[in-house]
Amino acid sequence: MKGWLTLTLGLLAVVVGAVWTVQGLGYVGGSVMTDQRIWALLGPLLVLVGLVVLWRGLRSRRRP
């Protein structure tokens, strides 16, 4: 079970960051975040953080 929480949080951050990015770029409508530049900038940052967390989670699972 080692690393599952880290992997889950990393994956969640990647998905949420991707949604923020497409909303900020205006591809997904119906939200106050649509066409807002701040979300188009924060989304990719959250994706990067999520990828780092995923990487750390995978490394912790490989160690004996």
Side-chain angles (χ1 to χ4, degrees):
M1 286 262 303
K2 189 175 184 180
W4 282 108
L5 179 62
T6 308
L7 290 173
T8 303
L9 291 176
L11 183 60
L12 181 64
V14 169
V15 170
V16 169
V19 170
W20 285 2
T21 302
V22 295
Q23 281 184 323
L25 293 173
Y27 293 118
V28 177
S31 171
V32 297
M33 294 167 46
T34 302
D35 280 333
Q36 297 294 317
R37 179 179 275 175
I38 187 70
W39 300 111
L41 296 174
L42 290 176
L45 291 176
L46 186 59
V47 169
L48 288 174
V49 168
L51 290 173
V52 169
V53 171
L54 276 172
W55 178 72
R56 288 183 57 117
L58 287 172
R59 282 186 47 133
S60 71
R61 288 182 46 82
R62 289 186 186 156
R63 291 186 187 159

